[in-house]
Amino acid sequence: MNFVSIIMGSKSDYEIMKHCADTFEKFDVKYEIIISSAHRSPERTKKYIKEAEEKGAVAFIAAAGMAAHLAGALAAATTKPVIGVPMKGGAMDGMDAMLSTVQMPAGMPVGTVALGRSGAINAAYFAIQILAILDKELAVKLKEDRIVQAKKVETDSASIEVIL
Ligand code: RP5
């Protein structure tokens, strides 16, 4: 069973990461979502990654804030693609998490997305694009979604536009 695994460092990340899960629902893609921390529960995190890989996780999404080491810890424990979502909050309102997530040493990649809701949604899109390489039905859904997005720009514009 192929699925994508979402891991959050804290329940406080869920409000944002719910958007990630919702995106998988929208595309009918299987996912797991759990809370496990690189710092507060390192053994649980390690155990979960191993079990998820055995069950068929094809990619991991890691969301963490502040000294955000979760995505890096995942990258160290798996050779599957890891997508990092930096969370806002803390003294630097996410800049700390963004740098912690993105600044990985060579050979240990974490594909880092934007802070906040857009990043949470794009993490799911990115994982879906990975799955769609070998899944034609999913590839079609992604193309249809682009058409829907383009149409929305037009309808939104039509509702307010002034053109001379
Ligand atoms: C990180 O610390 C979590 O991912 C969260 O974004 C941040 C704060 O966690 P809480 O103190 O709200 O549990 O590990």
Side-chain angles (χ1 to χ4, degrees):
M1 175 193 38
N2 283 354
F3 67 95
V4 179
S5 166
I6 309 168
I7 310 178
M8 293 165 288
S10 167
K11 196 172 179 190
S12 62
D13 301 322
Y14 182 64
E15 196 184 326
I16 289 297
M17 291 312 291
K18 173 95 174 56
H19 297 290
C20 184
D22 289 346
T23 307
F24 285 122
E25 299 274 354
K26 181 172 122 180
F27 283 90
D28 208 14
V29 166
K30 287 193 179 62
Y31 66 94
E32 287 191 344
I33 184 163
I34 70 154
I35 297 165
S36 196
S37 166
H39 302 130
R40 291 170 176 155
S41 65
E43 290 311 318
R44 171 179 158 78
T45 303
K46 220 169 150 186
K47 185 168 173 278
Y48 173 74
I49 297 164
K50 193 169 178 291
E51 286 169 2
E53 275 198 324
E54 282 166 6
K55 280 193 292 182
V58 292
F60 289 88
I61 293 174
M66 299 171 80
H69 296 136
L70 186 58
L74 255 75
T78 182
T79 52
K80 299 280 190 282
V82 175
I83 302 163
V85 190
M87 294 285 107
K88 282 191 169 201
M92 288 168 233
D93 204 22
M95 190 54 85
D96 42 7
M98 197 156 69
L99 293 175
S100 302
T101 307
V102 80
Q103 291 283 17
M104 289 296 290
M108 290 287 157
V110 167
T112 305
V113 294
L115 280 166
R117 179 180 171 274
S118 293
I121 292 171
N122 278 346
Y125 267 88
F126 200 63
I128 292 165
Q129 287 176 335
I130 292 168
L131 289 170
I133 293 169
L134 296 176
D135 183 333
K136 283 187 184 155
E137 212 178 301
L138 206 48
V140 169
K141 280 188 194 174
L142 281 168
K143 288 209 167 85
E144 286 170 354
D145 180 72
R146 289 285 170 98
I147 295 166
V148 171
Q149 289 193 53
K151 280 197 178 136
K152 186 175 180 311
V153 173
E154 286 176 31
T155 32
D156 285 350
S157 180
S159 70
I160 56 110
E161 72 190 13
V162 177
I163 295 175
L164 297 177

